[in-house]
Amino acid sequence: MKQWLPIALKQWLWWVFKSPQRKQVGFGTLLTDVKGYLALKTKSSKPLQAISISIGIKNRSQHLLTHVIPSLNAAAHKELITLSIYDAGSYDVPNLKEAIQAQWSGPLIYTEQVQDFTRSKTFNAAILQSPNEYIMACDADIALPKNIVQKINTYVTPHTAWFPQVWWLSDDKKSGRFFSEGTGLFASTKSNFIKVGMYNETITTWGKEDWLLYFAFYKNKIAGYRTNEREMIHYPHERLKPEGFEKLF
């Protein structure tokens, strides 16, 4: 207990004074966070709402078929899930739409438009075509937890967006860690996503669009709620980070 209290206090002080939203948007984000957490605590119990898992993709099809779709098939309340795919012209799997339909029997919204892949544009398109108000942006190399429908319904409110910290598997898949430096996966209402300006489509190279979106929520008085998600697993893939990449902060 003597060790735990100082660590907890240190973490709390870091969150209050040095968390990214404070440094990048301003100290007024503390009030946004407090209002967001109160919204979560006072959220009334309602029937689960349908969700859309939205994915922008180009040539990471085998990961999608191996990780994302099997995890959705195993999800509780699978009948409430719509899979929304915007394909920028994948050619690594012959007829990706048919390959998806062979595994996924639930609702599928699929658009293919051959173009250069940028994460911002493809994910904006995947989310905009989603039919449900509760949306989640999910990369193709993620296995989602069985209770993903419940979690999105729990953590998304008019005052909160959910930015889970996934379990990042090591290359040998024998160990891992929570990926706290990334905000690439998120869930929110579709209307709030549009309200904050969506992903910044001027970002055409790797990185930064995720944190810019996170800060955009705060600029619109919507808290980014972060949780450690051990069962939300990121599987290894080819590194895409370019040499000389400069971090946003």
Side-chain angles (χ1 to χ4, degrees), residues 53 55-66 68-70 72-73 78 82-88 90 92-112 129 140:
I53 302 298
I55 301 172
I57 192 171
K58 186 170 186 177
N59 290 341
R60 205 177 290 176
S61 308
Q62 199 57 57
H63 285 272
L64 174 70
L65 298 171
T66 302
V68 179
I69 295 178
L72 294 180
N73 279 325
K78 174 188 170 183
T82 294
L83 184 57
S84 176
I85 305 288
Y86 188 90
D87 180 8
S90 297
D92 55 339
V93 168
N95 200 329
L96 178 57
K97 183 178 181 180
E98 285 188 4
I100 293 170
Q101 290 173 321
Q103 290 187 220
W104 173 251
S105 60
L108 172 67
I109 310 296
Y110 186 94
T111 299
E112 182 179 13
Q129 72 181 13

Side-chain angles (χ1 to χ4, degrees), residues 193-209:
F193 176 69
I194 294 171
K195 174 184 175 181
V196 306
M198 306 190 295
Y199 281 114
N200 186 337
E201 293 190 2
T202 66
I203 305 295
T204 58
T205 55
W206 186 92
K208 299 181 182 177
E209 79 289 330

Side-chain angles (χ1 to χ4, degrees), residues 52 54-55 84 86 121-132 135-138 186 188-190 193-194 198-199 213:
S52 292
S54 303
I55 301 172
S84 176
Y86 188 90
K121 288 184 178 180
T122 56
F123 273 84
N124 280 346
I127 291 169
L128 287 176
Q129 72 181 13
S130 300
N132 300 315
I135 55 93
M136 180 174 193
C138 179
F186 85 96
S188 75
T189 62
K190 184 177 178 180
F193 176 69
I194 294 171
M198 306 190 295
Y199 281 114
L213 179 67

Side-chain angles (χ1 to χ4, degrees), residues 15 22 27-43 155-161 218 220-225:
W15 178 79
R22 310 283 183 260
F27 202 69
T29 58
L30 181 59
L31 181 58
T32 300
D33 276 327
V34 170
K35 288 182 177 178
Y37 295 152
L38 288 175
L40 290 173
K41 293 295 185 182
T42 59
K43 188 175 184 179
Y155 295 135
V156 171
T157 75
H159 304 288
T160 56
Y218 275 99
N220 286 272
K221 312 300 182 185
I222 300 166
Y225 189 69

